[in-house]
Amino acid sequence: MEKIVSLSRRRGFAYPGSDIYGGFSGFWDYGPLGVELKNNIKQLWWRMFVQERDDMCGLDAAIIMNPRAWEASGHVEGFADPLASGKMFNTMLRTAVGAGEESTTSYLRPETAGGIFVNFKNIIDSVHPKLPFGIAQIGKAFRNEIAPRDFVFRAREFEQMEIEYFVRPSEWEQAFEEWRENVHAFNDAIGIPRSSVHELEVAPEDRAHYSKRTIDFEFDFPFGRKELYGLAYRTDFDLKAHMESSGVNLEYLDDSTSDKFIPHVIEPSFGVDRTILALLSSVYTEDELGGETRTYLKFNKRVAPIKAAVFPLLKNKPQLVEKAHEVYSSLKLLVPSIQFDDNGNIGKRYRRQDEIGTPVCITIDFDTLENDTVTLRDRDTGEQVRESIAGLISVI
Ligand code: GAP
């Protein structure tokens, strides 16, 4: 864990929040590589669960909602953890909206799900989806955690990728099973091995107040087996509560049977920050290459923050530098997340790219000037082959 935290900081994946003021417990800032990694993870999730499916739509709701929504959902009453004294402490972060005495207390959402439920009717009325269908959202969530710890694992500000998948009440078990498999499929896609993920059937007394069945997907983190994602059967709890509290009818009209009912919901919930930590833990590798110990991140190409690095063999040979810039610029048009590096010797550049998980390095050498081929070096094996410049894009 120490090695992962140190690498993250040293290479620009994540820094303690407000670092120059000594940090601020439970808050983390993602650096240049961290933000790329995070975006890749979110884009892959969005593509897999929204864009590639016909039964899903997306949403980006406000973080701060009318506080009545959090009363209805049971969070004002029950979103609490016990303090050392045994007293319950509500972990929603409060904020004041509006000026002075006129201000209203509201909350920074503790889960993105809330925004989905309050938009259920808007989505039904504007895009007319037919059951079963899901609404997906990615965004920040906030919890005033009593004891933030373990790097980004338990933070006070974090990000969630959530789906509320609405079904007919009789269909919940089938949908639950489908999403159970989809959670594993997502891990496969980003490169978290199934052998490190374990399902835990959460006991009734440990489930959230809204859930009738929950499975936690636990990951073998360096500090132990802990929750990575959750899958819950939230029944019609939320829509029913919002319908009663707002007075707005949130029933679904089934065209085929003319039945009106409140749909039930299956909720797969993914933490972005925990995904990053699980991924870093999965890909962090140390081995020996050319008689030296090296550290590398074995990211797959989809999530790697930098897809390729381009080097001129020698910094002081203008022809090589010019050609390297030319190759770099043409590749960058198609794959923007690549880097140019001419600092230090080739060995050092390889090590730097290994450490941030760049899958391939491309070196422009004297042969390149003769025949438009380059040296292509593989991160994991260190093997080098010659490749034509024209073939580089398909390799990357
Ligand atoms: N809407 C359901 C929900 O919020 P949860 O199990 O409380 O359920 C879902 O949270 C996911 O959000 C967790 O599995 C985890 O990945 C992430 N998460 C929760 N609290 C977190 C925290 N304090 N820091 C980082 N991630 C957190």
Side-chain angles (χ1 to χ4, degrees):
M1 187 67 178
E2 255 172 46
K3 288 178 175 175
I4 290 169
V5 176
S6 143
L7 188 149
S8 293
R9 188 179 179 135
R10 187 160 34 83
R11 300 308 314 273
F13 283 94
Y15 317 113
S18 317
D19 204 8
I20 61 169
Y21 290 98
F24 198 44
S25 182
F27 297 92
W28 295 89
D29 294 344
Y30 287 89
L33 291 176
V35 65
E36 293 295 334
L37 178 61
K38 213 178 185 198
N39 285 342
N40 293 344
I41 290 168
K42 290 191 279 184
Q43 272 164 17
L44 203 148
W45 187 91
W46 194 260
R47 182 174 171 148
M48 189 165 174
F49 293 137
V50 183
Q51 296 174 328
E52 287 180 357
R53 297 176 63 120
D54 296 323
D55 58 347
M56 294 286 303
C57 55
L59 178 74
D60 184 15
I63 286 173
I64 298 173
M65 303 203 298
N66 186 320
R68 287 179 56 206
W70 297 116
E71 279 159 26
S73 67
H75 285 81
V76 170
E77 170 86 22
F79 199 70
D81 282 341
L83 294 167
S85 62
K87 272 175 91 179
M88 293 307 276
F89 170 71
N90 192 301
T91 57
M92 279 200 294
L93 265 162
R94 260 177 309 224
T95 190
V97 180
E101 303 213 327
E102 304 280 291
S103 73
T104 307
T105 298
S106 190
Y107 308 91
L108 305 189
R109 65 185 176 201
E111 53 168 4
T112 59
I116 298 183
F117 292 118
V118 301
N119 278 288
F120 176 78
K121 185 170 161 40
N122 282 337
I123 288 183
I124 292 277
D125 291 348
S126 55
V127 298
H128 315 288
K130 298 281 166 255
L131 284 185
F133 71 90
I135 305 174
Q137 178 167 224
I138 299 179
K140 292 272 186 164
F142 303 80
R143 295 182 192 178
N144 204 353
E145 295 283 358
I146 297 167
R149 61 174 168 271
D150 299 319
F151 193 29
V152 297
F153 177 82
R154 190 176 305 286
R156 287 176 167 144
E157 173 175 341
F158 54 98
E159 210 163 356
Q160 291 185 319
M161 306 181 284
E162 296 201 300
I163 292 163
E164 304 305 324
Y165 195 75
F166 298 95
V167 297
R168 289 176 184 83
S170 62
E171 291 170 344
W172 79 267
E173 275 161 311
Q174 189 194 334
F176 194 92
E177 288 310 314
E178 283 169 16
W179 283 102
R180 187 178 187 167
E181 178 49 32
N182 288 344
V183 171
H184 291 294
F186 175 71
N187 281 334
D188 292 345
I190 58 172
I192 293 177
R194 285 195 187 211
S195 57
S196 310
V197 179
H198 311 273
E199 293 184 7
L200 174 78
E201 186 75 46
V202 178
E205 61 274 21
D206 296 332
R207 291 195 294 247
H209 61 277
Y210 48 69
S211 176
K212 263 212 176 139
R213 186 180 178 195
T214 299
I215 288 179
D216 279 353
F217 295 80
E218 297 189 313
F219 177 82
D220 293 321
F221 287 101
F223 44 88
R225 189 171 287 184
K226 293 275 163 61
E227 179 185 339
L228 171 64
Y229 306 136
L231 175 65
Y233 169 41
R234 284 179 88 130
T235 68
D236 57 358
F237 176 89
D238 299 270
L239 288 182
K240 207 165 156 186
H242 288 303
M243 178 160 150
E244 279 166 13
S245 176
S246 66
V248 175
N249 189 354
L250 299 179
E251 287 172 321
Y252 172 86
L253 170 66
D254 204 328
D255 288 345
S256 50
T257 58
S258 298
D259 283 348
K260 267 188 162 186
F261 58 93
I262 300 178
H264 281 221
V265 74
I266 301 298
E267 176 195 68
S269 180
F270 302 71
V272 178
D273 312 78
R274 287 189 191 177
T275 304
I276 288 180
L277 186 52
L279 188 57
L280 287 173
S281 311
S282 304
V283 301
Y284 182 94
T285 316
E286 288 175 355
D287 71 357
E288 221 171 81
L289 193 69
E292 271 181 52
T293 314
R294 69 156 179 164
T295 299
Y296 69 105
L297 298 181
K298 215 173 183 166
F299 287 129
N300 69 30
K301 288 181 182 176
R302 294 196 201 181
V303 297
I306 304 297
K307 311 297 182 199
V310 179
F311 316 143
L313 180 64
L314 299 167
K315 195 181 178 173
N316 57 1
K317 294 279 181 259
Q319 279 173 302
L320 293 183
V321 175
E322 192 185 324
K323 186 73 181 173
H325 275 299
E326 192 185 295
V327 171
Y328 171 73
S329 304
S330 66
L331 291 176
K332 203 167 175 68
L333 287 176
L334 294 163
V335 185
S337 42
I338 61 173
Q339 271 188 358
F340 185 90
D341 191 2
D342 60 3
N343 260 323
N345 64 39
I346 285 281
K348 283 206 178 115
R349 297 180 205 161
Y350 284 155
R351 294 293 178 276
R352 277 203 294 274
Q353 294 298 333
D354 287 347
E355 219 185 23
I356 62 171
T358 307
V360 289
C361 291
I362 295 159
T363 303
I364 307 311
D365 52 29
F366 292 104
D367 287 349
T368 314
L369 305 177
E370 301 294 316
N371 60 14
D372 271 349
T373 65
V374 297
T375 303
L376 191 70
R377 185 253 192 194
D378 178 82
R379 174 196 64 207
D380 299 351
T381 61
E383 266 172 27
Q384 302 183 16
V385 293
R386 293 225 51 99
E387 176 65 50
S388 68
I389 290 176
L392 284 177
I393 275 296
S394 65
V395 172
I396 298 174

